[in-house]
């Protein structure tokens, strides 16, 4: 089925470990985004990508790495996880035209112990 | 980055009641979107408003964009338990979304 899928849905890891969150979309949307959602902060943009091999920082990029070798995939890596990165992470995609909706995945709940 | 303030932050009402939630900014919006997020899911776009004074209706939901394009409201008539969720006002500027803090609505049967 067409859509945007995130994996895993839930992840528990320890501080200092590397963890990668996956995002896959089947619409061939040019734009993809990663957000984190925390109580008291709402949704904040981590990184985004306008096309394959083009990525740029959002509001809170520190501690995260992204890549976009293929249009349909946009993985987010925490190279050395910290407790402050415990959050719910959402991936989204859009066509790229003004005012077009962003389509969100169902999120990955990440806990770092 | 434009700051979007939403009120109230939390709202708990009985089924059948009406409610209004607000989104305000000190700056002018080029356009504004409302998203709804249900528990365990990502946000879903409800509406986009572009023109000052614009009113859009989506079944029992009425969205209004202020004349000066600095504020917006969402009115729900005869709320139902299925309306429960987090309502987010969002500025969409060149594909970059800025989210308000949201209004968390609970509708009790």
């Amino acid at each position: 089925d067409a859509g945007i899928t995130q994996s895993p849905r839930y992840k528990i890891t320890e501080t200092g470990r590397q963890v990668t969150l996956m995002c896959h979309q089947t619409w061939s949307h040019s734009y993809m985004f990663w957000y984190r959602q925390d109580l008291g902060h709402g949704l904040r943009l981590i990184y985004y990508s306008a096309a394959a091999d083009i990525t740029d920082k959002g509001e809170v990029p520190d501690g995260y790495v992204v890549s976009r070798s293929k249009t349909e995939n946009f993985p987010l890596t925490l190279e050395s996880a910290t407790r402050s990165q415990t959050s719910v992470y959402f991936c989204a995609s859009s066509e790229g035209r003004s005012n077009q909706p962003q389509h969100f995945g169902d999120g990955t709940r990440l806990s770092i112990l | 980055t434009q700051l979007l303030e939403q009120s109230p932050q939390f709202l708990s009402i009985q089924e059948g009641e009406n409610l209004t939630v607000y989104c305000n900014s000190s700056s002018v919006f080029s356009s504004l979107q409302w998203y709804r997020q249900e528990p365990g899911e990502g946000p879903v776009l409800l509406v986009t408003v572009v023109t000052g004074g614009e009113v859009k209706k989506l079944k029992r939901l009425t969205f209004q964009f202020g004349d000066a394009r600095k504020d917006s409201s969402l009115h729900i008539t005869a709320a139902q338990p299925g309306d429960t969720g987090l309502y987010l006002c969002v500025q969409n500027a060149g594909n970059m979304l800025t989210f308000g803090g949201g209004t968390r609505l609970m509708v009790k049967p």
Side-chain angles (χ1 to χ4, degrees):
Chain A
D1 290 341
I4 184 164
T5 55
Q6 293 184 235
S7 62
R9 287 298 311 272
Y10 303 93
K11 177 75 176 178
I12 300 174
T13 190
E14 297 176 339
T15 56
R17 299 240 178 168
Q18 178 175 288
V19 59
T20 297
L21 310 184
M22 304 302 293
C23 180
H24 176 78
Q25 53 107 354
T26 59
W27 292 300
S28 298
H29 284 166
S30 56
Y31 277 77
M32 295 188 75
F33 307 83
W34 274 106
Y35 297 88
R36 59 180 291 175
Q37 186 173 33
D38 305 286
L39 283 175
H41 291 281
L43 276 146
R44 292 179 293 173
L45 181 65
I46 304 170
Y47 268 96
Y48 68 100
S49 169
D53 297 322
I54 301 174
T55 63
D56 210 343
K57 296 178 180 179
E59 181 184 353
V60 288
D62 293 345
Y64 303 95
V65 174
V66 294
S67 62
R68 186 123 180 252
S69 58
K70 292 184 178 181
T71 300
E72 61 267 30
N73 296 323
F74 191 38
L76 175 74
T77 297
L78 289 67
E79 292 192 308
S80 180
T82 65
R83 289 183 182 171
S84 65
Q85 293 177 307
T86 292
S87 186
V88 182
Y89 290 85
F90 288 97
C91 177
S93 70
S94 75
E95 293 178 352
R97 291 177 289 134
S98 182
N99 287 331
Q100 289 302 301
Q102 288 192 12
H103 300 272
F104 287 79
D106 286 336
T108 294
R109 184 175 293 275
L110 177 63
S111 295
I112 299 165
L113 306 178
Chain B
T1 302
Q2 188 165 317
L3 185 63
L4 305 179
E5 296 184 352
Q6 290 189 243
S7 61
Q9 287 185 292
F10 302 96
L11 191 56
S12 179
I13 61 172
Q14 293 295 132
E15 182 176 3
E17 294 184 4
N18 301 332
L19 67 115
T20 303
V21 300
Y22 301 92
C23 176
N24 293 282
S25 172
S26 57
S27 304
V28 174
F29 295 109
S30 54
S31 63
L32 189 133
Q33 296 180 322
W34 285 91
Y35 283 71
R36 180 171 68 200
Q37 183 179 15
E38 298 186 24
E41 299 181 7
V44 176
L45 180 67
L46 296 173
V47 76
T48 300
V49 287
V50 178
T51 306
E54 184 175 4
V55 176
K56 283 191 174 180
K57 292 192 174 184
L58 186 65
K59 297 183 181 178
R60 294 175 292 99
L61 278 61
T62 301
F63 302 86
Q64 187 159 3
F65 201 16
D67 290 341
R69 303 197 345 258
K70 296 173 70 172
D71 59 274
S72 180
S73 64
L74 159 60
H75 181 81
I76 301 179
T77 302
Q80 299 178 0
D83 296 327
T84 292
L86 179 66
Y87 289 82
L88 298 159
C89 75
V90 183
Q91 182 192 25
N92 187 333
N95 280 296
M96 304 302 292
L97 301 189
T98 301
F99 288 82
T103 293
R104 193 168 297 278
L105 171 66
M106 176 176 290
V107 183
K108 301 174 185 177

